[in-house]
């Protein structure tokens, strides 16, 4: 290790690195702003240099040097291979079955990978009005598979969503198929504590890997339903020097450009 490199890492860094590793090289990825964009761009800078990043506003093959503030950030268009109309992104690329992975964040998620980004509380008189759907419902519905990244707590991992903005596995089992939705739906939930994957048959998310130093009790305490664990639970590999150096450099460039790291909540 270089003299300037610190092997210590935060839970946020562990989450971002673990999510980035899930993105296969060469995949066509429809990216959400925030934590998904950070993880997807880290993948592009490390393990998956040939990943094709697509954003809702029309950039295809975006290679931003700093994390975008929004889908309308000029950095995306300036670094893309091409820019097409938003309608083409959805109709030709997404609904046409050309998106390998949808990478999404969430305000809340339930045990079947359904997402809420609309309201907390009653819809007509909410406690909190969230940013809304954007393109997430279409991404969740039509991408070949979906990755979800968010910090884990009782507020974010809830037993029942106040509003289903984007469908994951619906009510579990083959409900997604019954709804006529293509693709596998969510295949992984990556948090600052663990990685969850859908259980075969039920499609309920169960813990398959704990991040280093995280206990089962911590996961249970930060989940709003009776979370279950796989028969064999692994330990997520700690971030290595290459991953941490690339991530920290990306965050430093973003902070210098925008005054923030991007993707933080």
């Amino acid at each position: 290790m270089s003299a300037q490199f610190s092997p210590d890492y935060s839970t946020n860094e562990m989450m971002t690195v673990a999510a980035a590793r899930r993105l296969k090289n060469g995949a066509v990825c429809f990216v959400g702003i925030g934590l998904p964009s950070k993880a997807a761009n880290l993948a592009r800078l490390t393990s998956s240099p040939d990943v094709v990043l697509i954003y809702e506003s029309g950039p295809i093959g975006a290679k931003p040097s700093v994390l975008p503030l929004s889908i309308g950030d000029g950095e995306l268009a300036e670094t893309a291979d091409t820019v097409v109309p938003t309608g083409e992104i959805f109709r030709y690329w997404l609904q046409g079955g050309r998106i390998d992975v949808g990478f999404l964040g969430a305000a809340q998620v339930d045990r079947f990978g359904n997402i809420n980004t609309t309201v907390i509380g009653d819809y007509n008189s909410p406690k909190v009005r969230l940013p809304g759907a954007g393109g997430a419902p279409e991404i969740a519905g039509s991408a070949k598979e979906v990755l979800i990244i968010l910090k884990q707590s009782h507020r974010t991992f809830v037993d029942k969503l106040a509003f289903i903005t984007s469908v994951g596995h619906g009510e579990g089992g083959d409900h997604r198929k019954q709804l006529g939705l293509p693709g596998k739906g969510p295949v992984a939930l990556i948090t600052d504590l663990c990685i969850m994957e859908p259980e075969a048959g039920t499609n309920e998310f169960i813990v398959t890997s704990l991040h280093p130093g995280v206990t089962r009790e911590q996961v249970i305490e930060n989940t709003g339903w009776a979370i279950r664990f796989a028969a064999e639970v692994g330990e997520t590999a700690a971030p290595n020097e290459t991953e941490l150096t690339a991530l920290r450099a990306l965050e430093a460039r973003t902070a210098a450009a925008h005054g923030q790291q991007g993707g933080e909540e």
Side-chain angles (χ1 to χ4, degrees):
M1 294 184 183
S2 66
Q4 300 298 318
F5 175 73
S6 170
D8 297 327
Y9 56 88
S10 68
T11 56
N12 282 350
E13 287 177 326
M14 179 72 260
M15 173 174 60
T16 305
V17 167
R21 291 170 180 164
R22 304 286 303 210
L23 195 54
K24 297 176 183 178
N25 194 32
V28 178
C29 179
F30 201 139
V31 192
I33 293 297
L35 292 173
S37 184
K38 182 184 290 190
N41 278 286
L42 176 61
R44 181 179 60 81
L45 294 169
T46 53
S47 59
S48 303
D50 296 323
V51 68
V52 179
L53 301 186
I54 292 179
Y55 288 81
E56 186 177 339
S57 53
I60 296 174
K63 304 173 186 65
S65 61
V66 300
L67 295 170
L69 291 173
S70 72
I71 59 169
D73 196 316
E75 177 79 7
L76 295 175
E78 290 172 3
T79 62
D81 295 329
T82 188
V83 179
V84 301
T86 298
E88 182 175 323
I89 287 290
F90 283 91
R91 183 66 190 96
Y92 179 83
W93 287 91
L94 183 58
Q95 295 173 334
R98 295 174 174 84
I99 300 296
D100 297 313
V101 182
F103 217 144
L104 299 174
Q108 291 183 327
V109 68
D110 68 12
R111 71 184 70 209
F112 297 117
N114 301 303
I115 290 173
N116 175 23
T117 54
T118 303
V119 296
I120 304 295
D122 181 76
Y123 182 83
N124 295 312
S125 183
K127 295 178 181 178
V128 179
R129 180 74 68 181
L130 298 168
E138 288 78 13
I139 296 170
S142 297
K144 292 178 183 177
E145 61 181 41
V146 175
L147 298 173
I148 302 171
I149 177 173
L150 75 164
K151 297 178 184 178
Q152 190 166 347
S153 72
H154 260 276
R155 292 189 303 170
T156 56
F157 280 66
V158 299
D159 186 51
K160 184 175 177 58
L161 296 177
F163 189 93
I164 297 179
T165 311
S166 306
V167 175
H169 295 289
E171 298 173 3
D174 66 349
H175 190 220
R176 183 181 175 89
K177 183 178 180 181
Q178 293 178 36
L179 294 173
L181 297 174
K184 297 179 181 178
V187 297
L189 288 173
I190 304 101
T191 83
D192 50 342
L193 299 178
C194 64
I195 297 173
M196 301 179 187
E197 295 176 288
E199 179 184 52
T202 69
N203 277 322
E204 179 178 334
F205 275 87
I206 60 175
V207 178
T208 56
S209 182
L210 293 170
H211 298 334
V214 175
T215 65
R216 292 187 180 215
E217 288 70 26
Q218 284 177 285
V219 174
I220 292 169
E221 290 170 2
N222 286 280
T223 308
W225 67 84
I227 186 69
R228 296 188 292 117
F229 295 78
E232 294 185 11
V233 177
E235 180 177 272
T236 313
N240 61 39
E241 180 174 353
T242 298
E243 292 166 329
L244 286 177
T245 298
L247 175 57
R248 290 168 182 174
L250 176 62
E251 290 181 331
R253 291 194 300 271
T254 302
H258 300 314
Q260 64 184 63
Q261 293 184 335
E264 297 296 340
E265 296 179 356

